[in-house]
Amino acid sequence: MAAKDIRPDEEQPGAGPAHVAIIMDGNGRWATSRGRPRLVGHQHGARRVRDIVEACPRLGVEYLTIFAFSTENWKRTQVEVSGLMTLFKRYIKREAQRLLQSGVRVRFIGDRVRLDSALVQMMDNLEALTAGNSLVNLTIALNYGGRDEVTRATQRMAAEVAAGRLKAEDVDASTLASYLDTCMLPDPDLVIRTSGEARISNFLLWQSAYAEYEFIDTLWPDFTADCFADVLSGYGARDRRFGAVRA
Ligand code: FPP
């Protein structure tokens, strides 16, 4: 079954979330509270990414989508932005073989146009290297914004209409979904945000229409696999009705 054919209304009550999306927040505060530069927080945050990805198979998580860099994060200082870009390159270089051996398929979403070409090359290579894996589908959102994604999708769709390859009256929600960066993914069941902030900050706006949300006080560098398991254990008790009434 293609990922986008997975229908949320088929979910069984008590089942764990198949797709978890995470806003990894709090790296800066974690570092500042220790008198360290913000980048040190991001470095510790990168270690947590490994732990959380590797916990997915035993927790039944098939899809994990993480927010690594937003379209708004360019407003940070040049030191922080370039430090993060270096960290992403280092992560890809260090983790590629381990991800491959662990059965993780990696994909990236977001607009690659503004990213440096060496990084884009590494992203492409990692996607190709892990394309045969299916145990865990890790999607890294890099230069990603929900509004930007919908805008880019709409532009491509409008171009198809203008070229006569798509009829405007045939466009429905699934047509638009098929133009999004996430066209190969099911919608997230659960969105977690660490660090105590209760906002979604332009993350997966379209896709999270029926997602459950968990806002956790723990800062991302302290978010261990045990914390992840705790959050997921609370999810099974939820009654997701997707607008319907359960019989
Ligand atoms: C938000 O914390 C975090 C980010 C903008 C970057 C997320 C990046 C990582 C976790 C690093 C590694 C990622 C990968 C994929 C290797 P913040 O800086 O906004 O924290 P603050 O709110 O405390 O300032």
Side-chain angles (χ1 to χ4, degrees):
M1 182 167 58
K4 66 182 193 158
D5 292 337
I6 296 170
R7 298 192 33 219
D9 51 0
E10 288 170 3
E11 184 180 279
Q12 295 305 309
H19 184 176
V20 179
I22 307 184
I23 302 172
M24 308 180 289
D25 195 13
N27 295 345
R29 276 164 284 168
W30 186 93
T32 306
S33 70
R34 287 165 174 75
R36 308 294 306 278
R38 292 176 56 84
L39 273 170
V40 173
H42 296 311
Q43 286 158 3
H44 282 264
R47 291 182 203 156
R48 286 284 94 83
V49 171
R50 176 195 276 186
D51 299 343
I52 299 306
V53 171
E54 294 188 353
C56 283
R58 73 181 150 81
L59 297 174
V61 175
E62 294 168 55
Y63 295 87
L64 178 71
T65 300
I66 55 175
F67 206 1
F69 193 88
S70 77
T71 45
E72 288 71 38
N73 285 153
W74 298 103
K75 294 177 199 153
R76 296 186 177 205
T77 64
Q78 205 265 330
V79 169
E80 185 167 352
V81 169
S82 68
L84 276 166
M85 295 300 153
T86 302
L87 188 59
F88 299 141
K89 286 183 193 160
R90 207 175 292 156
Y91 172 82
I92 294 174
K93 202 166 167 190
R94 282 204 190 136
E95 298 294 314
Q97 282 307 318
R98 193 174 173 120
L99 290 161
L100 178 65
Q101 303 304 327
S102 316
V104 180
R105 178 173 191 170
V106 184
R107 296 179 178 102
F108 292 88
I109 55 171
D111 191 355
R112 298 180 190 203
V113 168
R114 198 169 166 186
L115 299 175
D116 114 14
S117 59
L119 174 58
V120 173
Q121 185 67 59
M122 294 173 81
M123 290 157 62
D124 288 342
N125 290 347
L126 184 59
E127 286 186 335
L129 179 74
T130 60
N133 283 345
S134 58
L135 184 65
V136 177
N137 291 276
L138 171 64
T139 303
I140 302 177
L142 229 171
N143 193 26
Y144 174 87
R147 288 182 173 178
D148 178 69
E149 178 192 34
V150 173
T151 305
R152 286 185 286 105
T154 309
Q155 281 173 353
R156 288 200 305 278
M157 228 166 49
E160 291 295 291
V161 172
R165 288 190 290 266
L166 179 67
K167 287 190 186 149
E169 58 270 29
D170 289 343
V171 173
D172 60 12
S174 69
T175 317
L176 178 51
S178 75
Y179 281 83
L180 295 175
D181 297 351
T182 53
C183 59
M184 64 301 185
L185 302 176
D187 286 343
D189 302 297
L190 174 66
V191 180
I192 299 171
R193 182 176 190 142
T194 57
S195 93
E197 310 287 352
R199 348 177 243 279
I200 57 170
S201 301
N202 206 7
F203 189 42
L204 301 175
L205 296 180
W206 171 278
Q207 299 85 342
S208 298
Y210 286 99
E212 301 286 323
Y213 284 89
E214 282 285 355
F215 298 103
I216 309 293
D217 286 338
T218 309
L219 303 176
W220 175 253
D222 292 326
F223 191 76
T224 61
D226 284 345
C227 299
F228 190 34
D230 280 351
V231 176
L232 298 194
S233 67
Y235 173 90
R238 294 176 179 219
D239 180 18
R240 300 179 73 205
R241 295 186 298 276
F242 303 97
V245 175
R246 198 166 298 280

